[in-house]
Amino acid sequence: MQSKMVRTFMITLFLLATQLHWSFTRGSGDTFRKTYIVYMGETPRSRTSAAATGEGEGLRSKTSAADLQHNVLSSVIQDASTAQQSKIHSYTKSFNAFAAKLLPDEVQKLRENENVVSVFPSRIRKLHTTRSWDFLRMPQTLKRNHQIESNIIVGVLDSGIYVDAPSFNDNGLGPPPSKWKGRCQVAGNFTGCNNKVIGAVFYNNDPATRHPNPSPQDEQGHGSHTSSTIAGASIVGASLYGLAQGTARGGVPSARIAMYKVCWPKGCSDIDLLSAMDDAIDDGVDVLSISLVGNQMASLTIPLRLVPFMQ
């Protein structure tokens, strides 16, 4: 009888310990974990799994950037399953980084890891705008080279684009430049691209800005505005209900536009912003346009500092 009671007590103690472990590793994740970007520098071409954790010097098996990231994350969380669940996104094309939900002590451990360059919180950005080209002394009479300008691809990170707007007609434009490797993501009420808007994709990975029906279509107007400001075709006779009639045009009217939708009604997440940067550079864009602002102006410089190091 006493032996049976001891066994029952031990089983109960084991179940309690298991429950406590689950609470600390998983349950606490929803309550205390916050989203961070972990930047690890250049994409590894040949690294070993041993380098990720500092253990097992004899290991020589090559790992991908994603595997390396998982090893680093697992080394601080100490639970492979929880590490997998906490990871939100992996950046592997133009730079080496990942987004994950982390506890404060895990953030500190990652900052101390020799494979990690920096760890910073993901913030939600707000849309910002631009000024006119006339103010920048680029008048309509400026001499143009259509052949050169039509080979320029501008990657716009914004709220999407309304391709049917007159500013985005592709009259006089040939096929996209051969260097273009991006894609056009048809989804929702977005029907496709043309030879002006040669690419359009959306990013909606952050739960804080989740949209029920994501697509590259511009629902807020900001992305279409900034895109037309940068590279909108010349539209003669544009006006506001007959007022201020003139020619609406972009700074480089013949340039191509690739829209990377990262902004939603709830804001623009750093997770999506970096995903778009990672893809845009790999897609072959020549210029990145980002008309966003954080709660503090300086805060946007954190993800933008990575741009010069992207390949």
Side-chain angles (χ1 to χ4, degrees), residues 68-277:
L68 186 65
Q69 294 165 10
H70 180 71
N71 291 343
V72 169
L73 185 58
S74 297
S75 71
V76 300
I77 292 184
Q78 298 293 322
D79 183 274
S81 177
T82 304
Q84 188 66 39
Q85 292 176 16
S86 69
K87 191 174 180 180
I88 298 174
H89 189 78
S90 181
Y91 311 97
T92 59
K93 295 178 181 177
S94 304
F95 59 101
N96 184 14
F98 63 89
K101 288 186 174 294
L102 303 170
L103 295 172
D105 66 307
E106 294 165 355
V107 172
Q108 185 57 38
K109 289 178 182 177
L110 283 169
R111 284 174 174 159
E112 295 171 356
N113 190 295
E114 62 179 7
N115 296 280
V116 175
V117 177
S118 63
V119 182
F120 53 90
S122 173
R123 293 184 172 89
I124 304 301
R125 313 289 172 178
K126 300 299 180 182
L127 292 165
H128 217 236
T129 189
T130 61
R131 301 185 180 183
S132 74
W133 293 109
D134 287 329
F135 177 80
L136 296 174
R137 298 183 180 180
M138 293 183 66
Q140 190 175 344
T141 55
L142 188 70
K143 188 177 181 179
R144 300 284 185 182
N145 187 317
H146 176 78
Q147 184 175 358
I148 292 177
E149 291 186 353
S150 64
N151 197 48
I152 297 172
I153 303 173
V154 181
V156 184
L157 280 62
D158 215 290
S159 66
I161 193 165
Y162 181 63
V163 179
D164 294 331
S167 293
F168 307 126
N169 76 78
D170 60 0
N171 296 338
L173 290 173
S178 58
K179 62 186 175 183
W180 173 243
K181 298 187 295 181
R183 62 194 178 100
C184 187
Q185 187 176 16
V186 177
N189 56 351
F190 184 80
T191 56
C193 302
N194 57 24
N195 286 331
K196 178 66 173 178
V197 181
I198 60 175
V201 291
F202 67 84
Y203 301 82
N204 196 212
N205 296 310
D206 194 329
T209 59
R210 191 80 74 201
H211 192 282
N213 299 299
S215 84
Q217 184 78 354
D218 189 6
E219 299 174 346
Q220 299 170 266
H222 191 274
S224 299
H225 166 67
T226 54
S227 296
S228 63
T229 301
I230 301 161
S234 295
I235 307 299
V236 179
S239 68
L240 178 63
Y241 300 107
L243 299 175
Q245 188 169 357
T247 300
R249 60 186 174 84
V252 187
S254 298
R256 317 299 180 113
I257 298 170
M259 172 55 66
Y260 297 84
K261 183 174 179 177
V262 297
C263 295
W264 308 89
K266 293 182 180 179
C268 322
S269 170
D270 281 355
I271 295 176
D272 296 330
L273 181 64
L274 286 172
S275 295
M277 288 181 183

